[in-house]
Amino acid sequence: ETGVTQTPRHLVMGMTNKKSLKCEQHLGHNAMYWYKQSAKKPLELMFVYSLEERVENNSVPSRFSPECPNSSHLFLHLHTLQPEDSALYLCASSLSGQLGGELFFGEGSRLTVL
Amino acid sequence: QKEVEQNSGPLSVPEGAIASLNCTYSDRGSQSFFWYRQYSGKSPELIMSIYSNGDKEDGRFTAQLNKASQYVSLLIRDSQPSDSATYLCAVSPSGGSYIPTFGRGTSLIVHP
């Protein structure tokens, strides 16, 4: 399997549930990202990991918890979410350094919070 | 705060015409510039990268960079209905950080 894969593609959860989004990249990249995309809004950077170390955390609420066990896998743990957290969550990977802006995105996980 | 500005559109062009998409950025020291295409309901896909002033051509796409004026543009020649999508401009800042800042995107509609 190649590229960046995300699971699940669709997720519906209640505000009291705990779930996790998974991302896996097969591109040999050393940086991984979580973005949030809401309707009519630009991409919002949530977290960045480079070489498994978190290098960016854009004031994201603590109900979102990232985990990067190795350079190929990235998780986003979700708990006690709010309806406004409903969005498309995109994982991306890249090389760090000058080529770091060349992001390769997964297909996204569409999250609905009831 | 580093900003990347795009006209949200929609930009509507007839099939076969040239579509011109523009982007301005605030960080004068930015080093790397990217265009992503996002079809409705899909994730963004990188279509062009440009790192130095001037033009870069790839098939029907040409990226143009003018660092002095702090703008980058994307031209799509012979536009096709399949080019209808949102085009996102992204800029990587100066200072060693590679993490790009995205604009809001411009919606392009190519009508037959």
Side-chain angles (χ1 to χ4, degrees), chain B residues 32-43:
Chain B
S32 307
F33 307 86
F34 310 91
W35 284 99
Y36 289 81
R37 176 177 62 200
Q38 187 173 22
Y39 291 114
S40 180
K42 300 293 185 180
S43 58

Side-chain angles (χ1 to χ4, degrees), chain A residues 20-84:
Chain A
S20 296
L21 306 181
K22 178 183 176 182
C23 177
E24 184 173 358
Q25 61 96 2
H26 302 271
L27 299 169
H29 290 160
N30 53 14
M32 296 187 77
Y33 308 70
W34 280 116
Y35 281 91
K36 176 184 178 182
Q37 189 171 42
S38 305
K40 307 298 183 185
K41 288 187 177 181
L43 285 170
E44 297 177 50
L45 180 65
M46 300 177 73
F47 303 103
V48 182
Y49 279 81
S50 176
L51 299 172
E52 300 144 45
E53 177 182 343
R54 191 188 309 178
V55 297
E56 186 92 8
N57 178 350
N58 273 4
S59 301
V60 178
S62 60
R63 57 186 183 268
F64 296 91
S65 174
E67 178 188 1
C68 187
N70 55 61
S71 60
S72 298
H73 294 85
L74 184 65
F75 295 89
L76 187 63
H77 303 300
L78 317 169
H79 62 96
T80 59
L81 294 190
Q82 304 298 310
E84 60 264 30

Side-chain angles (χ1 to χ4, degrees), chain A residues 6 21 35-36 46 64 76 85 87-91 108-109 111:
Chain A
Q6 289 186 243
L21 306 181
Y35 281 91
K36 176 184 178 182
M46 300 177 73
F64 296 91
L76 187 63
D85 296 323
L88 180 67
Y89 289 84
L90 291 163
C91 174
S109 294
L111 173 65

Side-chain angles (χ1 to χ4, degrees), chain B:
Chain B
Q1 184 173 350
K2 300 180 177 70
E3 294 183 345
V4 178
E5 299 288 343
Q6 295 182 258
N7 187 321
S8 62
L11 172 66
S12 183
V13 300
E15 184 174 356
I18 296 175
S20 178
L21 305 162
N22 300 311
C23 171
T24 59
Y25 58 94
S26 62
D27 181 2
R28 180 169 290 277
S30 296
Q31 299 294 321
S32 307
F33 307 86
F34 310 91
W35 284 99
Y36 289 81
R37 176 177 62 200
Q38 187 173 22
Y39 291 114
S40 180
K42 300 293 185 180
S43 58
E45 171 192 16
L46 178 68
I47 54 172
M48 290 287 284
S49 306
I50 186 166
Y51 301 96
S52 55
N53 275 333
D55 294 1
K56 179 182 178 182
E57 186 174 318
D58 183 1
R60 295 187 295 111
F61 298 97
T62 299
Q64 299 176 317
L65 175 60
N66 185 323
K67 289 187 178 181
S69 300
Q70 295 176 240
Y71 84 78
V72 56
S73 62
L74 179 70
L75 302 178
I76 306 175
R77 291 182 300 282
D78 188 24
S79 295
Q80 301 297 309
S82 59
D83 295 324
S84 298
T86 296
Y87 289 80
L88 305 173
C89 174
V91 177
S92 287
S94 57
S97 174
Y98 52 86
I99 301 168
T101 299
F102 281 83
R104 290 178 172 270
T106 298
S107 175
L108 172 67
I109 299 172
V110 181
H111 54 88

